[in-house]
Amino acid sequence: MAYFWSLAALIPLNNYGHYIHWGVIDISLANFIVIVLMIIAFIAALFLPFPGRSRRKESR
Amino acid sequence: MSTKPFRPDVDAPEYKGKYVPYDIIKEGTIAIIVVGLLVVLLATLFGSPDERAITVKAWSNADPIDFATTALGELNGSTVTAKYGAPYNTAAPGQNLGPLRLAQFAGVTIPVNTVRDFVINPLSSLPYDKPLSAALTEWKSASASQQKSWVSNYTAGASKMTWSNGQINVPATNAGPVPELINKLTSMARSGALDQALVTGGGFYTTNYTKPLLFVADGTYLANLAQKQHLLGSQWGMMNETGSYPGQAWLWLYTFWYQVPPFNSSSNADVQVSALMGLLSILLLLLPFIPGLRSIPRKVKVYRLIWREHYSA
Amino acid sequence: MSTAEIERQWTTRLRKRATGHLPPEKLLPDTQPAYVSSWIYVFGVTTLAALMLVILSGIILAIRGPQWWHSSSIGHFVNSTHLWSVEIFFFAMIVHLWGKFFMAAWRGGRSLTWVTGVVTFLASVGTAFTGYVSQTNFDSQWISTQAKDGINATGAGSIFNVLNLGQMLMWHIVLLPLAAVLLTTIHVLMVRVKGVVPPFEEQNGATK
């Protein structure tokens, strides 16, 4: 119970980070993941079928 | 009626197609619930970073020689702050953007005199101590050229500075009160009293940490810790966060310019990068009005994916 | 009092203008054009939802003051929700911006909607930055002492002192959130006034 109320993070990220070097690019793994997820989210939003498409056609 | 020709990147066609039911309140509620759950999940899993702030006390105890060298730098005018220029002092003209010296033009609005504010005033706030009091009196009653001569004599031996028995030792002659000032300031720092003296210079209440932050940043202790956390400017540090947390990733472009020519070797990089980012921000802001740029979406045809249902109807 | 006199009142005229531009059925619509059918459209409302959570978590942090979160595990957890809602806020806002760019969403008299969106983005970057320097920890010490050089070089440092915690905290919790929320409100109302941008017209397209 004490542990529960401590609200401590389950996977704290306080250790020194990992970095990706690529020529002039030097980016932390965390930022890299965030940016890649943004690009994936954008592309997925373009390609994934939006639900309710057929239902909408029937509705009118 | 206007008979202006239809401009596809400026005008929109009139939509005469069908409308479908749309529950904006339900959509908003779902969004808040989904994002709220995601936030709680991420906060529970990863938490957030909170590296404790460093203090002058911690710095001077961890590395008394670095502290004393920095304190000497504040006296002999060799630290970043002492040489800064506007808005802190007039020691340098500051960066220029072509003929424009913007910082100098804005003036010295946050005056910082490193000798007075970082060394003499804090020491003067200490309880009475005979040798210190004598040293301060000697310093304050000396001419500027005499002070300069003492400091430069002490500086000449500073590369051989040692720390032993709770004392800073520098082989220097004719340094006047400088050895006593540096030693007492180091003791003061190690006791924690300097942290307080630097912030309470303005009175009882304070919300302003300009002076202690400038002093701490003049040493190498803060920068060494930052380097371990991969936070230096040359490490794209502006985007980074302590530990393995994501940082201000949205500053990637601002950070990027500092890494490439001509900015990475320019002594005016700060003002140049700021100007460039200002210009790029204005371009983004005015994109709808810029011929060529505003045609990109129509030409790359990503919109065909977004509205594929519409075009296939 | 004549009807003409009432018609001439500032209040009457403001109400008529407001309801003329934004009648209730436009402010809270129950239908939308059929072309609004893509996942890309969810990033706008996601940004708004994240903004609300940023503000909510910020309000909870404000109740106990700027240093509470260093010593309380509940405070630290609230700080974590503040951080992650900000990360999601920027994430969604940037994808939203990409989406609106590729739709050329400024068409049809919507250029000011685009402009207010970009200004909101810039104000948000400033709000986040002032938050980073108001953390009262190592991060804020380092970020503020580094960022001062960029800001001082432009002359802005003469009034905007990133090393002044009180000033930065005021900007972070009063001035910039006020600006960001006001800009966001204007942005959203403009979208409601003008509606969602229609697709490009194609030779054999469905739009006539």
Side-chain angles (χ1 to χ4, degrees):
Chain A
M1 211 54 187
Y3 176 78
F4 178 78
W5 286 112
S6 78
L7 291 170
L10 298 176
I11 316 167
L13 303 175
N14 289 316
N15 52 321
Y16 290 153
H18 298 279
Y19 292 85
I20 298 165
H21 297 264
W22 191 56
V24 72
I25 309 277
D26 180 358
I27 188 169
S28 75
L29 185 62
N31 278 343
F32 182 74
I33 291 171
V34 168
I35 291 171
V36 167
L37 284 177
M38 273 162 59
I39 294 168
I40 290 174
F42 179 68
I43 292 172
L46 294 183
F47 284 94
L48 287 182
F50 193 73
R53 173 182 184 169
S54 49
R55 194 181 68 228
R56 278 187 178 169
K57 277 190 175 166
E58 286 157 15
S59 72
R60 292 268 163 133
Chain B
M1 282 298 284
S2 170
T3 51
K4 275 160 90 175
F6 184 84
R7 295 164 299 170
D9 303 316
V10 177
D11 305 317
E14 195 192 343
Y15 179 70
K16 291 175 182 152
K18 65 178 183 177
Y19 281 72
V20 294
Y22 172 51
D23 196 342
I24 192 169
I25 296 298
K26 187 176 167 188
E27 183 192 76
T29 309
I30 292 170
I32 290 173
I33 292 170
V34 170
V35 176
L37 289 174
L38 191 58
V39 164
V40 169
L41 178 74
L42 288 165
T44 308
L45 279 180
F46 303 123
S48 52
D50 189 18
E51 289 283 323
R52 281 175 69 92
I54 66 159
T55 56
V56 176
K57 182 182 179 181
W59 166 33
S60 55
N61 278 284
D63 193 348
I65 289 184
D66 182 54
F67 173 81
T69 306
T70 307
L72 175 62
E74 307 296 6
L75 279 184
N76 67 23
S78 64
T79 58
V80 170
T81 306
K83 291 191 291 186
Y84 204 91
Y88 308 126
N89 49 47
T90 52
Q95 296 190 11
N96 63 293
L97 186 67
L100 294 174
R101 291 197 180 273
L102 297 167
Q104 197 177 43
F105 179 73
V108 179
T109 53
I110 309 162
V112 176
N113 177 324
T114 58
V115 177
R116 187 191 63 210
D117 294 325
F118 293 165
V119 183
I120 303 301
N121 282 356
L123 285 173
S124 304
S125 73
L126 283 176
Y128 180 75
D129 169 274
K130 199 170 180 187
L132 173 62
S133 181
L136 283 169
T137 307
E138 190 182 6
W139 175 270
K140 285 175 186 169
S141 53
S143 67
S145 63
Q146 176 66 72
Q147 292 172 344
K148 203 173 173 183
S149 154
W150 286 332
V151 170
S152 65
N153 287 340
Y154 188 84
T155 306
S159 60
K160 298 194 181 78
M161 186 186 285
T162 55
W163 168 255
S164 60
N165 302 322
Q167 293 278 318
I168 292 288
N169 301 296
V170 168
T173 50
N174 294 325
V178 175
E180 174 70 7
L181 297 178
I182 295 293
N183 243 315
K184 286 287 155 65
L185 193 72
T186 307
S187 311
M188 185 184 184
R190 289 165 62 86
S191 75
L194 185 56
D195 282 297
Q196 279 310 304
L198 288 169
V199 289
T200 52
F204 183 81
Y205 283 113
T206 184
T207 56
N208 187 349
Y209 292 80
T210 304
K211 283 171 188 167
L213 281 169
L214 286 174
F215 197 160
V216 164
D218 282 339
T220 60
Y221 181 68
L222 180 70
N224 286 342
L225 289 177
Q227 185 177 23
K228 283 185 197 152
Q229 293 275 9
H230 216 93
L231 296 173
L232 295 188
S234 56
Q235 296 170 311
W236 294 61
M238 212 180 297
M239 293 166 69
N240 294 343
E241 177 57 272
T242 52
S244 304
Y245 289 92
Q248 301 181 75
W250 46 90
L251 295 181
W252 70 271
L253 189 58
Y254 186 67
T255 314
F256 167 76
W257 297 119
Y258 280 93
Q259 320 299 326
V260 295
F263 308 108
N264 59 356
S265 59
S266 168
S267 56
N268 295 305
D270 288 314
V271 70
Q272 289 165 345
V273 172
S274 295
L276 179 61
M277 286 306 288
L279 187 70
L280 293 174
S281 298
I282 290 170
L283 282 184
L284 181 67
L285 192 76
L286 300 179
L287 199 70
F289 309 103
I290 302 171
L293 288 182
R294 68 184 178 197
S295 305
I296 294 171
R298 182 168 50 90
K299 291 184 175 156
V300 298
K301 294 192 185 304
V302 171
Y303 70 85
R304 289 213 54 120
L305 280 168
I306 297 169
W307 291 312
R308 61 185 177 276
E309 210 177 296
H310 170 77
Y311 292 119
S312 67
Chain C
M1 195 187 280
S2 67
T3 319
E5 195 180 334
I6 288 176
E7 289 297 316
R8 276 201 311 274
Q9 291 186 126
W10 291 9
T11 312
T12 318
R13 276 149 68 176
L14 176 69
R15 187 188 65 227
K16 292 208 161 165
R17 260 192 87 152
T19 50
H21 280 293
L22 202 58
E25 59 274 19
K26 264 192 173 182
L27 182 63
L28 290 173
D30 47 23
T31 61
Q32 67 180 356
Y35 59 78
V36 184
S37 174
S38 164
W39 281 107
I40 201 71
Y41 286 105
V42 307
F43 289 95
V45 68
T46 306
T47 311
L48 275 180
L51 178 62
M52 285 183 191
L53 291 159
V54 170
I55 292 169
L56 179 69
S57 53
I59 286 172
I60 301 173
L61 287 173
I63 290 171
R64 296 293 299 272
Q67 303 214 58
W68 170 55
W69 72 284
H70 297 306
S71 54
S72 154
S73 62
I74 298 171
H76 194 111
F77 178 77
V78 177
N79 181 75
S80 303
T81 61
H82 197 58
L83 169 73
W84 287 106
S85 49
V86 168
E87 288 287 340
I88 294 173
F89 172 72
F90 275 98
F91 186 107
M93 182 161 46
I94 292 167
V95 178
H96 173 67
L97 189 149
W98 292 344
K100 293 301 152 185
F101 172 75
F102 285 111
M103 293 184 225
W106 51 76
R107 291 174 295 128
R110 294 171 180 84
S111 50
L112 271 180
T113 314
W114 172 272
V115 169
T116 53
V118 173
V119 176
T120 309
F121 173 67
L122 298 175
S124 304
V125 171
T127 315
F129 168 75
T130 52
Y132 274 88
V133 298
S134 301
Q135 293 176 90
T136 62
N137 61 10
F138 175 80
D139 213 25
S140 49
Q141 287 180 311
W142 178 253
I143 293 174
S144 60
T145 51
Q146 290 298 295
K148 75 175 195 302
D149 298 330
I151 291 164
N152 287 342
T154 66
S158 67
I159 48 169
F160 189 79
N161 179 6
V162 297
L163 305 178
N164 185 336
L165 172 68
Q167 186 187 8
M168 288 305 106
L169 190 62
M170 289 293 187
W171 277 81
H172 181 63
I173 68 175
V174 182
L175 303 175
L176 287 168
L178 208 61
V181 169
L182 193 68
L183 285 162
T184 306
T185 308
I186 294 171
H187 182 72
V188 171
L189 289 180
M190 287 176 114
V191 174
R192 296 275 47 104
V193 169
K194 292 282 180 181
V196 183
V197 75
F200 282 104
E201 200 157 38
E202 300 218 324
Q203 293 296 336
N204 49 359
T207 311
K208 296 194 181 75

